[in-house]
Amino acid sequence: MSGDELNPAAVPQPAEDVQGDGRWMSQHTRFVQECKDGEPDVLFVGDSMVQLMQQYEVWRELFSPLHALNFGIGGDTTCNVLWRLQNGELENIRPKVVVLWVGTNNYEHTAEQVAGGILAIAQLLTSRLPKAKIVVLGLLPRGERPNPLREKNAAVNGLLRSWLPRLGQAQLLDLGGEFVHSDGTIISQDMFDFLHLTSTGYRTVAKPLSDLLLQILDETPEERRASLV
């Protein structure tokens, strides 16, 4: 992207309170409070893909032991996550790793704009948390059969694969290929509505993600000692 100001997917903004019950802002306020009370080693931030993970056994089994906070809000776009992180959700915490998973709700934006929005979040994280590693989860395929949104999400991942390494601290973990069968279909046992993951689907994501997080967290003390020399 030639400049974030030209990219509508990189403009921070709170979610519109369409229902009128203030739920989004209430969740954001709760997250800001959790920053004052918690000392996470791992911060998860993103949309419903992050939020719903907390409801499954795999969260308690693999991620809670890592002192993880879950700052996921259903329906969020890159713009919403950018706003949240700029408005208190990074205050008072120094996670060693941030897992970012957002972008599939950016319906109005092109693949390049979405990737630019995700990159803008990663850049904010690296500037605010210079010692943290950033793991960006690739956008998953969606829809039972091949469709334009799948192609767009794949294009976003392709751009991120080339852009993120330039930040030094960030990397892409793309697990989308695990969900598409040889005939191009996705099954409801993995995604109950062909977008959101089932317990089985989350396990497919969680195992390689957990392995990567453990590897990063294990590396961190050595890197910290090396930086003190």
Side-chain angles (χ1 to χ4, degrees):
M1 297 297 298
S2 56
D4 287 344
E5 69 279 2
L6 304 175
N7 180 7
V11 176
Q13 57 187 25
E16 188 180 350
D17 186 19
V18 180
Q19 287 87 5
D21 58 10
R23 279 181 301 126
W24 188 89
M25 192 59 73
S26 295
Q27 290 176 91
H28 166 64
T29 302
R30 175 166 59 86
F31 294 157
V32 172
Q33 184 60 43
E34 285 187 40
C35 287
K36 297 175 183 174
D37 302 332
E39 295 181 1
D41 285 335
V42 183
L43 173 65
F44 284 73
V45 64
D47 54 30
S48 61
M49 306 302 286
V50 170
Q51 183 180 36
L52 295 174
M53 189 186 298
Q54 206 166 11
Q55 297 182 10
Y56 291 96
E57 183 62 32
V58 70
W59 177 267
R60 293 182 289 278
E61 187 182 312
L62 295 178
F63 300 122
S64 286
L66 302 182
H67 305 291
L69 280 181
N70 186 310
F71 287 179
I73 299 183
D76 263 14
T77 65
T78 52
C79 305
N80 305 143
V81 168
L82 204 51
W83 188 92
R84 291 199 276 126
L85 294 178
Q86 288 183 354
N87 286 273
E89 290 188 19
L90 292 177
E91 298 296 326
N92 307 308
I93 58 173
R94 290 292 176 267
K96 297 168 184 170
V97 192
V98 180
V99 178
L100 174 64
W101 205 2
V102 71
T104 200
N105 294 318
N106 286 68
Y107 313 116
E108 302 173 358
H109 304 132
T110 66
E112 187 176 30
Q113 288 170 341
V114 178
I118 295 169
L119 184 67
I121 298 170
Q123 288 170 326
L124 172 68
L125 288 167
T126 56
S127 66
R128 295 284 296 275
L129 302 169
K131 293 183 178 178
K133 296 288 178 67
I134 316 300
V135 175
V136 177
L137 284 171
L139 303 187
L140 295 183
R142 47 186 295 164
E144 184 179 11
R145 302 183 183 282
N147 63 81
L149 280 176
R150 263 201 218 180
E151 295 171 15
K152 176 177 156 183
N153 283 3
V156 170
N157 294 342
L159 291 166
L160 291 173
R161 196 170 288 110
S162 62
W163 291 353
L164 286 173
R166 301 175 199 167
L167 295 181
Q169 296 163 243
Q171 61 182 295
L172 178 72
L173 181 61
D174 181 8
L175 301 168
E178 303 292 324
F179 294 95
V180 180
H181 291 253
S182 57
D183 62 355
T185 62
I186 287 172
I187 58 173
S188 58
Q189 286 90 330
D190 287 331
M191 297 183 185
F192 59 84
D193 58 356
F194 305 107
L195 172 63
H196 296 98
L197 295 170
T198 62
S199 176
T200 303
Y202 271 116
R203 285 213 169 269
T204 300
V205 170
K207 183 62 172 74
L209 175 58
S210 171
D211 289 346
L212 177 59
L213 293 179
L214 289 170
Q215 178 188 332
I216 293 172
L217 291 169
D218 194 42
E219 286 174 358
T220 303
E222 293 176 31
E223 290 179 352
R224 192 179 299 117
R225 281 197 295 274
S227 68
L228 295 173
V229 174

